[in-house]
Amino acid sequence: MTSSLQLPRRTFLAAAALGAAATQLAALTPAFAQAAGAPRRLEPLKSIDAGTLNIGYYEAGPANGAPVILLHGWPYDIHMFVDVAPALAAAGFRVIVPYLRGYGTTRFLSADTPRNGQQSVVAVDIIALMDALKIQVATVAGCDWGARTACIMAALWPQRVKALVSVSGYLIGSQEAGKVPLPPQAELQWWYQYYFATERGRAGYEKNRHDFAKLIWQTASPKWNFDAATFDRSAVALDNPDHVAITVHNYRWRLGLVEGEAKYQALEDRLAKAPVIGVPTITLEGDANGAPHPEPSAYAKKFSGRYEHRLVSGGIGHNLPQEAPEAFAKAVIDAARG
């Protein structure tokens, strides 16, 4: 099933269900009181040891609420959900928004742990976070790397995922698939992947990570007129000491230029078979997404459970949760509550 949502670009909580939730926001999330004129931040942050990481995360909503985990992408951060998180908290959900490995306040517990960015390990991190927080089952929603991670969690650990919301649909890949040449126009969209394959690219990203990220934001969301304060709020998360290593390893791993860790190979072998996802799912796409993304028809059959695809109109680009928070929050509520 496919539907098109005609929503104002920055209207917050336009849907009726979210409008009711907004009236509770001040009481449930007092941390959002900010200085006049300052961009709202997801604060205060918490942290917890989980697997190989000490994960920094934001939490909102009632402790006994149905858990929702929101996963950001590259080169963004938890503020991808700066409007979504309080809306879901006000609607009664327990909302967890973690910094992925290589971002923000998340740190490796050991200097000896490989700075690995292969796709399965990020999902392993979030399962470890759920274990540490004693969350058995959660609705998982994400965009970009976060959407891929959410899809992997739903595919490999369906007993831990109540429902899934994924921007740009089914994003599970494999090294073999990454080796297949694409048409020239598609290859052009992946220019940064080939840049990162070189030592010049690694050094360039290390030196210019903020300018690089801003360029990605602009090309991936060509109609999103974000201001400097909005970008700067997220850019500081890229100053994490492991960010460049994780990013470069991820894109080199996709092309088969570097190996992952052997202990995750069994997971990668399962993912390479492009497993069908059976949990209830809503996929989303913006009508102005400038980043590489598959057509919805290419992945619709990868979801065997209750499934819906929604096109979000109004010049919405790749960072859909931040550009159209009301549409993303509504999808999470609808998926979680069935």
Side-chain angles (χ1 to χ4, degrees), residues 4 123 137 148 174 192 201:
S4 178
V137 181
R148 177 176 295 105
S174 70
Y192 52 87

Side-chain angles (χ1 to χ4, degrees), residues 7 62 94 96 120 147 167 177 189 201 207 226 241:
L7 294 165
R94 179 189 180 190
I96 308 293
S120 63
V167 175
Q189 289 186 300
K207 180 179 179 181
F226 58 87

Side-chain angles (χ1 to χ4, degrees), residues 36 42 90 100 112 121 136 199 216 222 231 233 238 266 268-269 305 329:
L42 295 182
L100 301 186
D112 297 329
V121 75
Q136 185 59 37
E199 179 56 24
I216 296 296
F231 175 78
R233 178 181 58 192
L238 310 183
E268 295 297 348
D269 290 343

Side-chain angles (χ1 to χ4, degrees), residues 21-102:
T23 63
Q24 308 169 45
L25 180 57
L28 289 176
T29 54
F32 277 79
Q34 303 286 336
R40 186 165 56 248
R41 299 189 60 85
L42 295 182
E43 294 177 340
L45 294 177
K46 299 181 178 181
S47 66
I48 193 168
D49 288 352
T52 62
L53 301 171
N54 177 270
I55 296 180
Y57 66 99
Y58 173 76
E59 181 171 358
N64 63 348
V68 171
I69 299 176
L70 304 176
L71 302 173
H72 69 82
W74 172 88
Y76 305 95
D77 84 324
I78 62 172
H79 293 97
M80 174 178 274
F81 305 105
V82 69
D83 291 330
V84 173
L88 295 177
F93 292 93
R94 179 189 180 190
V95 184
I96 308 293
V97 194
Y99 278 112
L100 301 186
R101 56 170 53 201

